[in-house]
Amino acid sequence: MLNERSLTVSQDCAECPIRHRAVCARCESDELERLEEIKYYRKFEAGQTVIWSGDRMDFVGSVVSGIATLTQTMEDGRTQMVGLLLPSDFVGRPGRASAAYDVVATTDLVMCCFRKSPFEEMMRQTPHIAQRLLEMTLDELDAAREWMLVLGRKTAREKIASLLSIIARRDASINMRTATGTLVFDLPLTREAMADYLGLTLETVSRQISALKKDGVIELEGKRHVTIPDMARLLDEAGDDSDGGMFA
Amino acid sequence: MLNERSLTVSQDCAECPIRHRAVCARCESDELERLEEIKYYRKFEAGQTVIWSGDRMDFVGSVVSGIATLTQTMEDGRTQMVGLLLPSDFVGRPGRASAAYDVVATTDLVMCCFRKSPFEEMMRQTPHIAQRLLEMTLDELDAAREWMLVLGRKTAREKIASLLSIIARRDASINMRTATGTLVFDLPLTREAMADYLGLTLETVSRQISALKKDGVIELEGKRHVTIPDMARLLDEAGDDSDGGMFA
DNA sequence: CGTGATTTTGAAGTCTTTCAACACGCGTGG
DNA sequence: CCACGCGTGTTGAAAGACTTCAAAATCACG
């Protein structure tokens, strides 16, 4: 269960699926060449822990494919997800010695890693990397603040609707479709992971999903395959301004 | 009530109380000189709104003295605080046209402002500023994630204890004392602001403060003056590992 | 087709909110 | 000097939302 298989997969940055969104997005070709020298790929299986909170962090990296979660756990076992890491998202904090959160692979996961000190050195020499990392960090901070509103002030039903709309939106964005009208996607999270995301119990998550289904806000095939017949309706249930969400 | 009085207070960066912590912390003296050319001070009275969410942001800046809050509001009036801005904290996002949150002065407030485009230009030319801003943004992201655990998983009593310990700690840090043993400080927030911070109602905040007082975890003189006889006890009530909090 | 993980559903219990009334502190003005 | 009004804070009682505990249903998979 805990055998950490780490395979090396050589690959060209120019062909990388996250080339234009990751921390390297602004790099010129000569900068990419230098990154290629220090990068290496690691694979993790669904359910595997990538990093334990408190461990020494000797690498940073980007999610290439798959999904990972960032979670905090209290001594008594209560856990709260504090980040949902999708392809192109950055893991780790330059300048910090040990990990502040658990990172767990939710699906099979491929990461593009850099040993920490060469990456930090590269950051000092390459403003493009630091610039992009700042931009990404500001985006994450905005997302975290949006999430704080969800956690602090929304009802269970609104929380579920919010999470579904976030997933629907990013799914549309990855597949280059518009996030309006009818949308279809697979939930990448278990009920328990959704509960940890939203500060609920898994039973409440299940009940609210059933309620949204009964009310026709969503349709389900199996447990994970979701159809949103009317995105505006879902956004309304989430308590958001239904401005359509003009984000990248 | 809404007369926005903005006074200009000329002042020397070298003497600035937030010189070593703000976005300019890493700047050399020649860089400071250039910043001095584009900076200006603005004062706000307690209660005044500094920026309305959605407004065009034509400046960014640092809190010099006083306290401000960052809040989000839903259409029906529910509000969630998403940031507590203390001296040296940065306001505004380079590269963004309009404000995403309301910024409100909780106490009388002095800000050191920069018009946005000159500041953005300066950021491009001055890696020290971008570096420092990245560092500060990463710190804020960590704080937001800690806050998410509080919002999502802690009980009302733990939430209050968490907030009190955060304020106690930063107060000790500003006054250069250790955050252990007995601590004394004034609450900079009303019960309602605390409720907005913690995702509670102001009644629940009041009840839990009374309960902590009854149990001897805190002592009160008036409504705002707090004594913590035993910081470790408070941290325990907050549900945190009582590791003493080794932060700057 | 059985086994374990995941999910759903029910019933009771708990915590927080809601609604309401009252107390306190403070500045204004009679 | 004291009454009044207003913002802020406290407290009580009832209602409500979510959790907890328990059991059954469904799904994935060998």
Side-chain angles (χ1 to χ4, degrees):
Chain A
M1 184 76 85
L2 286 173
N3 71 332
E4 183 168 327
R5 207 146 49 95
S6 92
L7 310 176
T8 307
V9 185
S10 87
Q11 206 170 317
D12 186 1
C13 285
E15 320 241 312
C16 180
I18 58 167
R19 166 75 183 89
H20 53 304
R21 302 192 100 202
V23 72
C24 52
R26 300 268 192 84
C27 288
E28 311 288 352
S29 49
D30 58 321
E31 294 165 341
L32 278 187
E33 272 171 41
R34 298 189 44 219
L35 275 180
E36 265 176 343
E37 283 167 28
I38 64 171
K39 88 179 185 188
Y40 57 99
Y41 289 93
R42 288 183 72 181
K43 285 187 172 185
F44 299 89
E45 293 172 18
Q48 240 189 316
T49 296
V50 176
I51 301 160
W52 295 93
S53 172
D55 273 11
R56 204 163 59 80
M57 277 289 284
D58 38 32
F59 70 95
V60 297
S62 300
V63 174
V64 176
S65 66
I67 292 176
T69 62
L70 233 55
T71 57
Q72 292 201 84
T73 306
M74 295 171 67
E75 294 124 53
D76 62 5
R78 281 176 281 177
T79 74
Q80 174 65 52
M81 199 188 295
V82 296
L84 186 59
L85 301 170
L86 305 175
S88 83
D89 282 338
F90 187 77
V91 178
R93 173 169 171 166
R96 161 168 295 167
S98 64
Y101 314 101
D102 292 327
V103 180
V104 179
T106 288
T107 63
D108 285 351
L109 185 73
V110 177
M111 291 199 51
C112 173
C113 300
F114 309 95
R115 276 182 305 119
K116 196 158 69 85
S117 50
F119 184 81
E120 284 166 358
E121 180 55 28
M122 180 106 193
M123 252 184 70
R124 272 187 291 276
Q125 296 164 5
T126 319
H128 283 158
I129 294 177
Q131 279 167 23
R132 178 63 185 144
L133 187 58
L134 174 57
E135 194 173 47
M136 290 172 75
T137 305
L138 287 165
D139 283 342
E140 271 193 272
L141 186 57
D142 278 342
R145 285 172 167 163
E146 201 69 40
W147 197 338
M148 283 169 56
L149 175 67
V150 172
L151 288 171
R153 293 303 187 192
K154 291 195 177 179
T155 65
R157 171 182 263 244
E158 289 170 334
K159 284 179 174 181
I160 297 291
S162 297
L163 176 55
L164 291 175
S165 63
I166 287 167
I167 295 172
R169 208 176 321 200
R170 73 119 185 120
D171 203 80
S173 143
I174 284 176
N175 299 325
M176 311 286 274
R177 292 201 223 85
T178 64
T180 53
T182 298
L183 289 170
V184 181
F185 58 91
D186 283 299
L187 281 173
L189 301 176
T190 65
R191 300 291 185 260
E192 185 178 21
M194 291 190 251
D196 285 343
Y197 188 112
L198 297 170
L200 298 169
T201 60
L202 64 90
E203 293 94 333
T204 300
V205 170
S206 180
R207 276 184 247 275
Q208 295 300 334
I209 289 180
S210 298
L212 288 174
K213 178 180 165 191
K214 185 167 72 64
D215 297 345
V217 181
I218 62 174
E219 290 156 21
L220 283 181
E221 267 178 85
K223 306 302 184 186
R224 300 291 194 88
H225 194 75
V226 180
T227 301
I228 313 274
D230 179 0
M231 190 62 185
R233 171 84 193 282
L234 184 67
L235 288 171
D236 195 53
E237 290 284 355
D240 292 345
D241 318 33
S242 46
D243 58 5
M246 304 295 163
F247 300 117
Chain B
M1 184 77 82
L2 285 175
N3 69 331
E4 185 171 324
R5 206 147 47 97
S6 92
L7 310 176
T8 307
V9 184
S10 86
Q11 206 170 315
D12 187 0
C13 285
E15 321 242 311
C16 181
I18 57 167
R19 167 73 182 87
H20 53 302
R21 304 192 97 200
V23 72
C24 51
R26 300 269 190 86
C27 289
E28 311 287 353
S29 51
D30 59 319
E31 292 165 342
L32 279 186
E33 272 172 41
R34 297 187 47 219
L35 275 178
E36 264 176 345
E37 281 168 28
I38 65 171
K39 87 180 188 188
Y40 56 99
Y41 290 93
R42 289 182 71 181
K43 286 186 169 185
F44 300 89
E45 292 172 20
Q48 240 188 314
T49 295
V50 176
I51 302 158
W52 295 93
S53 171
D55 273 11
R56 204 164 57 80
M57 277 289 285
D58 38 32
F59 69 95
V60 297
S62 301
V63 174
V64 176
S65 66
I67 292 176
T69 62
L70 231 58
T71 57
Q72 292 202 85
T73 305
M74 296 171 67
E75 294 123 48
D76 61 7
R78 281 176 282 177
T79 73
Q80 174 65 51
M81 200 187 295
V82 296
L84 185 58
L85 301 170
L86 305 175
S88 82
D89 283 339
F90 188 77
V91 178
R93 171 167 175 166
R96 162 168 295 167
S98 63
Y101 314 101
D102 292 326
V103 180
V104 179
T106 289
T107 63
D108 286 351
L109 186 72
V110 178
M111 292 198 51
C112 174
C113 301
F114 309 95
R115 275 181 306 119
K116 197 159 67 88
S117 51
F119 183 82
E120 284 166 358
E121 179 56 27
M122 180 106 194
M123 253 183 67
R124 274 187 289 275
Q125 295 166 5
T126 319
H128 284 159
I129 294 178
Q131 280 167 19
R132 177 64 185 144
L133 188 57
L134 173 57
E135 193 173 45
M136 291 172 73
T137 305
L138 287 165
D139 284 341
E140 272 193 272
L141 186 56
D142 278 342
R145 286 172 167 162
E146 200 68 40
W147 197 338
M148 284 168 55
L149 174 66
V150 172
L151 289 171
R153 291 303 185 191
K154 291 194 178 180
T155 65
R157 171 183 263 245
E158 289 170 333
K159 284 180 175 180
I160 297 292
S162 297
L163 176 55
L164 291 175
S165 64
I166 287 167
I167 294 172
R169 209 176 322 203
R170 73 118 185 120
D171 203 79
S173 141
I174 285 175
N175 299 323
M176 311 283 274
R177 292 200 224 87
T178 65
T180 52
T182 299
L183 290 170
V184 180
F185 59 90
D186 283 299
L187 281 172
L189 302 175
T190 64
R191 299 292 186 261
E192 185 178 22
M194 291 189 253
D196 285 343
Y197 188 113
L198 297 170
L200 298 169
T201 60
L202 63 90
E203 293 94 330
T204 299
V205 170
S206 182
R207 275 185 247 276
Q208 296 299 335
I209 288 179
S210 297
L212 289 175
K213 178 179 162 190
K214 184 167 74 62
D215 296 344
V217 181
I218 62 174
E219 289 156 22
L220 283 180
E221 266 176 86
K223 307 303 183 188
R224 298 290 192 90
H225 193 74
V226 180
T227 301
I228 314 277
D230 179 0
M231 190 62 185
R233 171 84 193 281
L234 183 67
L235 288 172
D236 194 54
E237 290 284 356
D240 292 346
D241 317 32
S242 46
D243 59 5
M246 304 294 163
F247 300 117

